[in-house]
Amino acid sequence: MNTHEGWMGLALREAEKAYTLGEVPVGAIVVSNDRIVGRGYNQTETLRDPTAHAEMIAISAAANSLESWRLENCSLYVTLEPCSMCAGAIVLARIQYLFYGASDPKAGACGSLNNIVQDHRLNHSVDLETGILAEKSASMLKSFFREIRNGSLKKP
């Protein structure tokens, strides 16, 4: 499983976990040497924690797994463009590659509103590739918010 689409498919599985809990369906995985070292999905409502984004959980799990906060040779796959908080954590963790699915024109900080992960004024810059399984990621998000609006899905 070493294609970008394959890894993003696994991030989408994490997003599905969030969806079933009534959380915004975003999933993330951290990959090192062709193996998953961290995974996460949005749990802000469940944990009542504004920092419990998929990326933050996956990054923490990877740091734990690798016993280092420096994730220099790691790739992060996330279904939605990271926000400014998550983009900052990606830079601080020294993640080498970021791959994301759908863009987020309202909160995205990796190309949409700004580009924190490639701001050369910072001490680390991340290689970035976007649009991987973007339609599947966007479709899941649209479906989720449609269900929230029509009342068929209750948030926790």
Side-chain angles (χ1 to χ4, degrees), residues 3-63:
T3 68
H4 297 311
E5 291 79 14
W7 293 120
M8 189 63 74
L10 295 176
L12 279 163
R13 285 192 197 160
E14 294 299 311
E16 289 168 359
K17 294 176 187 176
Y19 199 129
T20 62
L21 293 174
E23 297 274 3
V24 175
V26 177
I29 62 167
V30 178
V31 176
S32 176
N33 296 319
D34 287 328
R35 72 180 180 95
I36 296 173
V37 294
R39 57 180 77 226
Y41 54 89
N42 274 3
Q43 297 181 62
T44 55
E45 299 289 343
T46 303
L47 298 177
R48 294 178 177 84
D49 180 354
T51 69
H53 289 195
E55 303 94 320
M56 301 295 280
I57 293 168
I59 289 168
S60 291

Side-chain angles (χ1 to χ4, degrees), residues 1-155:
M1 168 84 58
N2 50 12
T3 68
H4 297 311
E5 291 79 14
W7 293 120
M8 189 63 74
L10 295 176
L12 279 163
R13 285 192 197 160
E14 294 299 311
E16 289 168 359
K17 294 176 187 176
Y19 199 129
T20 62
L21 293 174
E23 297 274 3
V24 175
V26 177
I29 62 167
V30 178
V31 176
S32 176
N33 296 319
D34 287 328
R35 72 180 180 95
I36 296 173
V37 294
R39 57 180 77 226
Y41 54 89
N42 274 3
Q43 297 181 62
T44 55
E45 299 289 343
T46 303
L47 298 177
R48 294 178 177 84
D49 180 354
T51 69
H53 289 195
E55 303 94 320
M56 301 295 280
I57 293 168
I59 289 168
S60 291
N64 246 352
S65 174
L66 297 174
E67 298 180 344
S68 176
W69 62 268
R70 289 180 183 89
L71 305 178
E72 294 168 328
N73 295 310
C74 293
S75 299
L76 174 65
Y77 291 84
V78 61
T79 58
L80 181 66
E81 179 181 357
C83 70
S84 57
M85 173 185 68
C86 295
I90 291 164
V91 170
L92 291 172
R94 314 270 196 299
I95 290 174
Q96 187 171 3
Y97 301 103
L98 169 62
F99 303 93
Y100 71 78
S103 294
D104 185 352
K106 292 184 179 180
C110 301
S112 289
L113 294 179
N114 51 42
N115 193 348
I116 292 170
V117 296
Q118 293 186 321
D119 187 329
H120 294 287
R121 295 171 295 176
L122 300 175
N123 66 337
H124 177 70
S125 184
V126 179
D127 292 327
L128 176 65
E129 188 174 328
T130 68
I132 299 166
L133 300 183
E135 277 302 312
K136 287 185 178 183
S137 297
S139 176
M140 186 182 301
L141 287 159
K142 288 174 186 171
S143 176
F144 173 82
F145 287 112
R146 184 173 39 254
E147 288 184 37
I148 291 290
R149 281 191 300 277
N150 73 24
S152 63
L153 181 71
K154 301 290 183 210
K155 291 188 88 171

